[in-house]
């Protein structure tokens, strides 16, 4: 297939209403959790993004039938189960690591290679492996092949994470759901997607308490059964469309999402001068005024400001009055979008973990290449507020996490097409 591009003509303020897609970072672990369930699982509000398709390829390989239509995925076990994931499937996304807990927990073994995903600097899996070992698995890593086994099943344990890793917390919840006895995770990640995964698992018969807090308690059960579950809205997609409205000076309404789930981003947009009104599961955003710089935006684990929204908010702030300082604490290499923004006329300096954005009056369209999922989205946000045409190549990165991105922007009156 020829590589695709987005062609964006900037300058039209976004306007209108948009339904927010289901959350990528929720649906991927939820699909993996369905690999632990008997019977049929129905996942609603499932975003049509390429990472979801990668998950269905893994599930099909593992012995499940997946039917995915109209944002609903139906997963049924086909009888024969497989506990090994080939390298080409593992490398399609970072979330493939979640199958370590799901398979070892339900089948007592798994064989896999290292996961892929966005290149954001080193993304080790040492915490995942250490946690599985605590739960009683034997884990070996030779020539890049990871083998986990627990002949007599996993057992509960007290696990103190030295960092609240999202993926590790999810892997432990999956592995411990069918383990013997109680598992307690201290310093667990508190992201809303963790609560969503726990909500799904509990509906399947698991006994998980405290998800969304630092201490999560999982009492192992003997069996999980399928259920019907609707995935939470994607707070990072919401932040991206708000950033696009802010960059273009527009006013939009996001449907299907509450302010609470986006609070850490909305408070930054408010400092930028955007106005928000909420009503019945909708957020109205008025971003018609010139944006103001924000003193300091520091990425932190939830409930702090999310690293995933750093790039798109930086793109909107390029055209603000005054200066803004970003500090990226989660990933070593998450400023890869900066060169493209500078090419479009932004004034940004990166010094180690910090990026200083000095607002400019205008951005100009340019030919740029998406570096990663959120970095690519940031280029689109900048392009919508720029003069002239922006051409973004390597948009496969954007397709990994945004459902019909061009459709969403077009619905808001933006000028974008896929070529
Ligand atoms: N880390 C380790 N060792 C581990 C695991 C993590 O050192 O074994 C480090 C990572 O290298 C990183 C930090 O801990 O520096 C945070 O990693 P975490 O495990 O919390 O992140 P993740 O599970 O790999 C998820 C999201 C990311 C999001 C981060 C942080 C999914 C599929 N991915 O990744 O989403 O940035 O949490 O919130 O849930 C995105 O959507 O664009 C994205 C990258």
């Amino acid at each position: 297939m020829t590589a695709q591009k987005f062609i964006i003509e900037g300058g039209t303020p976004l306007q209108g209403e948009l339904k927010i897609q289901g959350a990528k970072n929720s649906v991927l672990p939820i699909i993996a959790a369905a690999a632990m369930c008997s019977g049929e699982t129905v996942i609603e509000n499932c975003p049509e993004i390429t990472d979801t398709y990668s998950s269905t390829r893994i599930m099909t390989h593992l012995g499940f039938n997946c039917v995915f239509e109209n944002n609903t995925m139906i997963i049924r076990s086909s009888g024969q189960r497989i506990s090994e994931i080939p390298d080409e499937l593992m490398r399609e996304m970072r979330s493939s690591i979640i199958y370590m807990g799901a398979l070892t927990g339900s089948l007592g073994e798994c064989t896999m290679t290292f996961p892929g995903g966005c290149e954001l600097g080193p993304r080790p899996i040492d915490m995942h492996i250490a946690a599985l070992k605590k739960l009683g698995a034997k884990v070996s890593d030779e020539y890049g092949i990871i083998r986990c086994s627990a002949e007599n099943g996993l057992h509960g344990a007290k696990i103190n994470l030295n960092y609240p890793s999202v993926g590790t917390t999810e892997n432990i919840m999956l592995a411990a759901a069918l383990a013997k006895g109680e598992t307690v995770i201290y310093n667990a990640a508190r992201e809303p997607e963790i609560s969503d995964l726990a909500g799904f698992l509990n509906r399947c018969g698991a006994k998980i308490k405290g998800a969304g807090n630092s201490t999560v308690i999982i009492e192992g059960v003997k069996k999980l059964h399928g259920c019907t579950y609707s995935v939470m809205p994607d707070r990072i997609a919401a932040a991206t469309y708000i950033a696009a409205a802010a960059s273009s000076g527009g006013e939009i309404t996001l449907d299907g999402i509450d302010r609470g789930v986006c609070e850490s981003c909305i408070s930054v947009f408010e400092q930028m001068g955007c106005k928000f009104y909420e009503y019945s599961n909708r957020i109205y955003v008025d971003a018609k005024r010139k944006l103001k710089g924000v003193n300091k935006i520091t990425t932190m684990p939830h409930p702090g400001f999310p690293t995933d929204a750093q790039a798109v908010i930086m793109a909107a702030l390029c055209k603000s009055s005054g200066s803004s300082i970003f500090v990226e604490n989660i990933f070593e290499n998450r400023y890869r979008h900066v060169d493209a923004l500078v090419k479009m006329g932004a004034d940004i300096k990166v010094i180690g973990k910090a990026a200083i954005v000095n607002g400019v009056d205008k951005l100009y369209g340019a030919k740029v290449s998406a570096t990663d999922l959120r970095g690519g989205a940031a280029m689109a946000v900048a392009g919508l507020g720029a003069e002239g045409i922006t051409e973004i190549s390597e948009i496969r990165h954007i397709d990994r996490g945004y459902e019909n991105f061009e459709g969403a922007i077009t619905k808001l009156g933006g000028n974008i097409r896929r070529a």
Side-chain angles (χ1 to χ4, degrees):
M1 193 174 72
T2 326
Q4 299 184 340
K5 293 174 181 180
F6 281 141
I7 316 276
I8 295 172
E9 192 179 337
T12 309
L14 295 191
Q15 234 161 16
E17 183 164 322
L18 181 69
K19 164 102 175 60
I20 285 297
Q21 67 180 69
K24 167 179 89 74
N25 290 347
S26 249
V27 75
L28 304 178
I30 286 175
I31 294 173
M36 306 180 74
C37 298
S38 60
E40 183 178 280
T41 302
V42 180
I43 306 173
E44 296 170 345
N45 203 27
C46 200
E48 292 188 9
I49 53 179
T50 56
D51 271 8
T52 309
Y53 290 109
S54 299
S55 298
T56 60
R57 278 192 287 279
I58 293 180
M59 291 295 282
T60 307
H61 171 83
L62 294 175
F64 291 85
N65 288 322
C66 300
V67 178
F68 188 21
E69 269 171 7
N70 301 325
N71 293 106
T72 298
M73 190 180 298
I74 303 174
I75 301 172
R76 284 187 206 98
S77 173
S78 65
Q80 204 200 355
R81 295 288 310 274
I82 287 172
S83 62
E84 159 275 333
I85 305 180
D87 187 47
E88 66 269 22
L89 293 180
M90 281 301 291
R91 275 198 287 170
E92 285 190 20
M93 58 176 183
R94 170 78 181 175
S95 253
S96 48
I97 190 65
I98 300 301
Y99 288 84
M100 184 185 269
L103 293 176
T104 314
S106 56
L107 301 177
E109 59 175 21
C110 78
T111 303
M112 53 176 49
T113 56
F114 281 76
C118 285
E119 300 284 339
L120 309 173
R123 294 183 78 176
I125 55 168
D126 54 320
M127 293 173 67
H128 298 254
I129 291 176
L132 260 283
K133 284 184 177 167
K134 275 244 171 189
L135 293 167
K138 286 191 184 134
V139 186
S140 70
D141 164 15
E142 279 170 352
Y143 307 109
I145 297 175
I146 305 160
R147 290 194 172 82
C148 301
S149 65
E151 264 174 44
N152 301 316
L154 297 171
H155 55 71
K158 294 201 182 331
I159 303 176
N160 205 333
L161 298 180
N162 54 21
Y163 177 87
S165 153
V166 173
T168 308
T169 303
E170 292 167 346
N171 240 334
I172 299 171
M173 280 167 39
L174 293 176
L178 289 175
K180 286 185 208 93
E182 185 183 88
T183 297
V184 185
I185 315 175
Y186 299 104
N187 198 25
R190 291 181 281 164
E191 271 67 4
E193 292 76 15
I194 302 279
S195 308
D196 211 27
L197 174 61
F200 172 79
L201 283 166
N202 284 343
R203 196 168 290 176
C204 297
K207 289 192 175 158
I208 303 176
K209 283 191 286 193
N213 299 305
S214 292
T215 304
V216 179
I217 302 168
I218 305 127
E219 193 188 320
V221 296
K222 290 219 156 57
K223 207 170 168 296
L224 295 175
H225 50 76
C227 72
T228 297
Y229 192 81
S230 185
V231 174
M232 66 174 281
D234 195 312
R235 62 197 169 103
I236 306 301
T240 303
Y241 296 117
I242 297 171
S247 169
S248 64
E251 53 178 334
I252 62 169
T253 301
L254 300 179
D255 186 10
I257 190 158
D258 287 325
R259 177 182 172 125
V261 83
C262 309
E263 189 55 46
S264 50
C265 290
I266 289 185
S267 63
V268 170
F269 283 115
E270 281 179 335
Q271 290 172 60
M272 290 160 68
C274 302
K275 300 263 182 277
F276 288 81
Y277 306 94
E278 294 172 80
Y279 54 100
S280 61
N281 207 223
R282 280 191 171 82
I283 304 172
Y284 165 77
V285 189
D286 172 356
K288 292 193 295 273
R289 277 159 232 87
K290 168 108 181 153
L291 300 172
K292 296 181 279 192
V294 178
N295 195 15
K296 196 168 169 195
I297 302 173
T298 305
T299 68
M300 301 279 274
H302 192 78
F305 177 81
T307 172
D308 294 344
Q310 177 254 105
V312 293
I313 291 189
M314 183 184 290
L317 277 168
C318 289
K319 270 193 341 174
S320 61
S321 60
S323 300
S324 308
I325 299 177
F326 286 82
V327 180
E328 171 57 55
N329 286 314
I330 312 295
F331 292 108
E332 262 179 41
N333 200 1
R334 215 169 193 183
Y335 286 136
R336 297 177 70 213
H337 48 280
V338 166
D339 284 352
L341 298 181
V342 168
K343 192 171 176 188
M344 296 173 75
D347 177 353
I348 307 172
K349 287 182 188 59
V350 175
I351 307 162
K353 283 181 166 193
I356 301 154
V357 181
N358 295 310
V360 294
D361 283 337
K362 278 184 184 172
L363 293 178
Y364 302 92
K367 284 189 181 180
V368 294
S369 176
T371 46
D372 57 86
L373 166 60
R374 308 300 172 190
M379 293 168 205
V381 166
L384 288 162
E387 272 187 12
I389 308 283
T390 298
E391 206 177 292
I392 308 176
S393 57
E394 298 294 340
I395 57 171
R396 63 193 165 88
H397 291 293
I398 299 176
D399 290 334
R400 283 194 37 226
Y402 294 92
E403 177 175 286
N404 186 10
F405 186 74
E406 69 275 31
I409 297 295
T410 304
K411 182 148 194 299
L412 296 173
N415 206 327
I416 182 171
R417 69 185 169 85
R418 187 182 285 260

